[in-house]
Amino acid sequence: MIDDTIRPQLGIIGGLGPLASADFYFKLTRMTQAFRDNEHVPAVILSIPQLPDRTEAILAGHDGPLAPLKAAVATLNALGVACVAMPCNTAHHWYDQLAANSRAEIIHIGDAVVAETRRSLERGRVAVLATQGTLVSGFYQDRMSAAGFELCLPSNEFQACVDSAISLVKAGSIVDAAVETERALDIAQATGADAALLGCTELSVVAASLNDVNGLVVIDSNAALARACLTRLGFGTQEARGLPTVSRPPGHDWPMRASLAVLA
């Protein structure tokens, strides 16, 4: 039995990956309208980096991550949390099974992203930067289409840049990950996208470090999830200021729209 004086309201399933979890908690904190410590959300982060790879499981057609995800949800429920957040898009492939076994509400990152997109865009084409597992799962295609947005999945070159950026963040190479993300954004815009969704929370890590995106609306799934959690728990929100960025040494700048002449 947990002491009520330290009972968390929000449970966070973290470690998927660790930098993405840290980014989520940072944004949750910076987006909270608070002037002192006790005005922030009581929360607990359960970091489970040993969880099997989500994309590999989806592409192979098995549910290896499901049992440990269920155990994580049960652990957070036992702590009495009101809501659970999973700052990992691909893990939402198993959302229905997890929600069915949870007393606490599990906030779906896809629903949070749709709400965030509507804050900036009424309609248009949205490019989805996500793992292949998330794309196969299809929850973004379903939710964004139902909300009236057209999904744009540009090319194999685009997905190669996205996959590379995700791997680079997991390896701690944030500067190079930002460059690869910009390449993907450039390709997306060249193929007619009005907005781009950073639909992998690894990519959220580089969101504040992106150079000029030439008017492209960029939606950060971690920031969207943080806003949804705060709103659901009754906390005031603000724009996340002072986000961490990375400095690029000479030679790491990627000129936005450099590939347009090639793709035109």
Side-chain angles (χ1 to χ4, degrees), residues 1-146:
M1 182 72 68
I2 189 169
D3 189 318
D4 282 340
T5 62
I6 60 167
R7 186 179 302 279
Q9 294 184 39
L10 177 64
I12 302 164
I13 299 177
L16 311 174
L19 272 176
S21 305
D23 178 78
F24 171 78
Y25 187 68
F26 186 91
K27 287 170 180 170
L28 181 79
T29 303
R30 292 298 289 142
M31 293 174 74
T32 305
Q33 285 183 345
F35 297 93
R36 53 186 63 88
D37 292 349
N38 61 14
E39 293 176 347
H40 284 273
V41 182
V44 60
I45 301 174
L46 178 59
S47 186
I48 47 172
Q50 71 273 26
L51 197 81
D53 186 276
R54 281 68 64 201
T55 289
E56 288 180 4
I58 293 169
L59 297 183
H62 69 77
D63 291 327
L66 181 56
L69 282 171
K70 281 184 175 179
V73 169
T75 299
L76 294 174
N77 272 272
L79 293 175
V81 302
C83 295
V84 173
M86 291 192 296
C88 171
N89 286 269
T90 315
H92 286 73
H93 176 74
W94 294 277
Y95 176 87
D96 290 342
Q97 297 98 309
L98 297 173
N101 290 278
S102 179
R103 174 197 52 77
E105 177 187 359
I106 302 177
I107 298 177
H108 199 297
I109 200 167
D111 296 332
V113 161
V114 168
E116 192 76 5
T117 305
R118 282 176 166 159
R119 296 179 72 240
S120 304
L121 200 68
E122 291 185 5
R123 62 183 61 85
R125 303 186 75 212
V126 180
V128 181
L129 285 70
T131 67
Q132 295 180 55
T134 294
L135 297 176
V136 168
S137 184
F139 63 82
Y140 273 126
Q141 291 92 317
D142 294 342
R143 282 170 168 77
M144 296 295 270
S145 296

